[in-house]
Amino acid sequence: AQKVTQAQTEISVVEKEDVTLDCVYETRDTTYYLFWYKQPPSGELVFLIRRNSFDEQNEISGRYSWNFQKSTSSFNFTITASQVVDSAVYFCALSLGIGTASKLTFGTGTRLQVTL
Amino acid sequence: SAVISQKPSRDICQRGTSLTIQCQVDSQVTMMFWYRQQPGQSLTLIATANQGSEATYESGFVIDKFPISRPNLTFSTLTVSNMSPEDSSIYLCSVAWGRETQYFGPGTRLLVL
């Protein structure tokens, strides 16, 4: 069975600091997707990024960057120059197979608090 | 991505009653999912609802407790039956857009007294 571990329960940083959220996954399947979602205090779940198991290229989108390493089964998420609006719970998730949506297995989430 | 709405956004219910949650999408989608997020917890899949077939339930969830309807490609309902305080959660529907990525509705916050 697949599993996603987010060891960091809560992180507090001061605005403009960089912060990395860790995600480690377990699966015996060779084809899968990895996701990051953001859940702000309002409660909705916002999709941030998807990577498939064949694509280990790191990705940067504005202040966000993602580091996918199959060798360590990790898919870490870095926010550069954090802002108060980044305060939220961030979930890493895994789904099996390629080309179709399937059950998402979520980690327990990391609560990020950014203060002034 | 699709625009997803849920009704009600929140509700307070008495134990023993049932609540039906609606999920509406502005585009036709094949796959819809229902998740539960208990207070302070992560999300757990309840069932997958594909139009034209019976919903597929995950281990620990049964149709008698969480009946699901999927009458067309833009709409689904989840009923939480015979509620107890342990059912207090956020219930979220999601749709598969572009086949691989799930986008979530705003959620329904349920409190059972």
Side-chain angles (χ1 to χ4, degrees), chain A residues 87-102:
Chain A
S87 297
V89 179
Y90 291 85
F91 290 97
C92 181
L94 168 74
S95 70
L96 301 181
I98 296 288
T100 185
S102 64

Side-chain angles (χ1 to χ4, degrees), chain A residues 40-110:
Chain A
S42 53
E44 78 273 21
L45 212 62
V46 178
F47 166 72
L48 295 177
I49 192 171
R50 180 192 77 231
R51 304 299 283 177
N52 71 54
S53 52
F54 300 111
D55 186 0
E56 283 191 78
Q57 282 190 354
N58 292 332
E59 182 158 338
I60 299 174
S61 176
R63 296 184 296 108
Y64 296 169
S65 62
W66 291 270
N67 184 344
F68 175 28
Q69 291 192 346
K70 289 179 72 173
S71 61
T72 56
S73 297
S74 65
F75 185 40
N76 297 335
F77 173 30
T78 297
I79 302 174
T80 303
S82 60
Q83 300 176 0
V84 173
V85 294
D86 296 326
S87 297
V89 179
Y90 291 85
F91 290 97
C92 181
L94 168 74
S95 70
L96 301 181
I98 296 288
T100 185
S102 64
K103 168 187 175 180
L104 284 169
T105 298
F106 284 87
T108 51
T110 298

Side-chain angles (χ1 to χ4, degrees), chain A residues 33 37 39 50 100-102 107, chain B residues 37 42 58 99-102:
Chain A
Y33 288 106
Y37 287 88
Q39 188 175 42
R50 180 192 77 231
T100 185
S102 64
Chain B
Q37 186 177 22
S42 187
E58 295 296 305
R99 296 192 300 165
E100 299 95 353
T101 299
Q102 291 182 39

Side-chain angles (χ1 to χ4, degrees), chain B residues 33-100:
Chain B
F33 304 84
W34 286 98
Y35 288 82
R36 181 177 73 181
Q37 186 177 22
Q38 294 178 299
Q41 303 297 314
S42 187
L43 286 83
T44 301
L45 179 65
I46 297 172
T48 302
N50 293 336
Q51 197 270 338
S53 62
E54 296 287 326
T56 302
Y57 289 83
E58 295 296 305
S59 175
F61 298 95
V62 295
I63 188 171
D64 290 345
K65 175 67 176 177
F66 298 101
I68 289 172
S69 77
R70 183 77 201 274
N72 57 52
L73 291 173
T74 64
F75 186 78
S76 177
T77 66
L78 168 75
T79 299
V80 186
S81 304
N82 188 24
M83 289 183 286
S84 66
E86 291 72 34
D87 294 319
S88 298
S89 298
I90 301 175
Y91 292 86
L92 301 102
C93 68
S94 72
V95 303
W97 189 255
R99 296 192 300 165
E100 299 95 353

